[in-house]
Amino acid sequence: MKRPLTPPPNTPPRRKTPPPKLGNVWLSHQMSVFLASLGHLLRSPLASLMTTSVIGIALALPTGLYLLLENVRNLSYEWDSSVQISLFLKQEVDEAKAHILADQLLQRPEISNVQIITPVQALQEYRNLSGFGEALTALETNPLPFVLIVQLATNDTQAGSRLLEQLGKMPEVEVAQFDMLWLKRLFTMIEIIRRGVLILATLLSLAVLLVIGNTIRLAIYNRREEIEIYKLFGATNAFIRSPFLYLGFWYGLSGGAIAWGIVDLSFWLLQTPIKQLTALYHSQFQLVTLDLISTPILLLTSALLGITGAWLAVGRHLKEIQPS
Amino acid sequence: MIIFNEVSKRYPAGYEALKNVSFHLKPGEMAFLTGHSGAGKSTLLRLIALIERNSNGQIVVNGQHLGRLPTYRIPYLRRRIGMTFQDHRLLVDRTIFDNVALPLVVAGYRPQEIRRRVRAALDKVGLLTKEKNYPITLSGGQQQRVGIARAVVHKPAILLADEPTGNLDPSLAKETMQLFAQFNQVGVTVLIASHALSLIKTLGYRTLMLQHGHLVGDTRISRPLR
Ligand SMILES: Nc1ncnc2c1ncn2[C@@H]1O[C@H](COP(=O)(O)OP(=O)(O)O)[C@@H](O)[C@H]1O
Ligand SMILES: [Mg+2]
């Protein structure tokens, strides 16, 4: 029944193996556990896909909102060259008078810059923007007045309003109006929405933690007997913990990948209407999407959430499982 | 190697499974632990491996006072002990090889060393050809021997066996006991819980007898008959 353990005749004599380097053994063990935990995830693809999809959707929501917000902010930054007042001059004001007025205005301390837009320039710009080019060329005379674009030296809206009132009463001025005042409001709103997104992101991250924690808890209970046997033969808590932490890592990472897919697809769908919109504003606007910096951040965050969720579950439930 | 000094074990429910048990098992000794069902045999083995903690008295295993052993040191105590169980406790979704390798994997042995030792252990119990099988394909006796291979693969100083011949026929039971005797001959301290009194008597080893938690007999036989 019992055969002596001798090597087959054609193998060279075994050299004495060097003493084990624990670091390498540990590392190769961790590597194999790391990959085995991925295998564990792939063995029940449907259940794993469901869990990772929940994680993915939960992460896609704040990520997408954040990107949307970044885009709106970029757009408005581009439009915003501090506060401007447009002065539409009366028809009878000619170029020389417009220049004199511009020089006068520049003397005032509240004003940092004055730009003159001639009727020709205005018409050209209007043609380009509005798409009524044909109709406008048919006009015999240019109906547009001189316009002065006044840059304020201050961001103070009250001072701006006072100045607007004063400028509106000047005899050469037909109409004075703030340019893109709504931008200022938009900025305040963006700040509010940004905080909202931050709160949402925090809440949804918490939800991801719970989802992963619960998934890991189930995995622990499914392998309860195995854990007991490992403990009976001297497994440390760290030994038993690591496969579950890796499992959490894989759940988090694949959830992050799904979130990336959802966000990328959504922005791809948004791209055409956004291009049309920005073209109308004559803008060099580039859509901000998940790039080489934000993508790794998303994946890293989701993987970290996975490990943290797993850690919480493992910490709570591994102690409960003791061999009997 | 194993010292019990006035050891009692009271389970949380209040039942006292062991009462003032004292004995000393020397290094390299082999002994049987016998008694009726419910006498406390399994409980005594569980105390040695710190699966349960004793309520009173002192236990010294391998020179370590178990009462002073912090929880985080328990895994290292268990690595010096090999155990077999009445219900085998094999992992059904792992091969025989993987089952036997478990104590070595836990202790961080390198793969080549694991292969070598697992094969040697399986060879010793006569199951080398079954290494790629799953436990379900083996008979009860074969599963018991896989459990024995797993218990000795890491060359423990102490071997604890709980009812290793539970449902084996007499000749297989005797063979299994002889296997334990072989491990004992190479220096392993062996303690076997078994209620198969007649078989134990023919083997002629020291026998500790439990009755309702009391140690009522400790028969020493100077030379084991083989
Ligand atoms: N975990 C437990 N909780 C409460 N009572 C237990 C537990 N394990 C065993 N017992 C009781 O302790 C006594 C001894 O059990 P055990 O050591 O398993 O006996 P044996 O192995 O000799 O049959 C029995 O009466 C049993 O009911
Ligand atoms: Mg028992």
Side-chain angles (χ1 to χ4, degrees), chain B residues 33 74 107 120 133 137 156 176 185:
Chain B
L33 185 61
I74 292 177
N133 289 42
T137 65
T176 304
Q185 277 157 30

Side-chain angles (χ1 to χ4, degrees), chain A residues 67-79:
Chain A
L67 279 184
L68 211 58
L69 216 58
E70 280 300 293
N71 279 304
V72 172
R73 191 152 59 169
N74 269 4
L75 204 58
S76 47
Y77 266 138
E78 197 186 324
W79 287 337

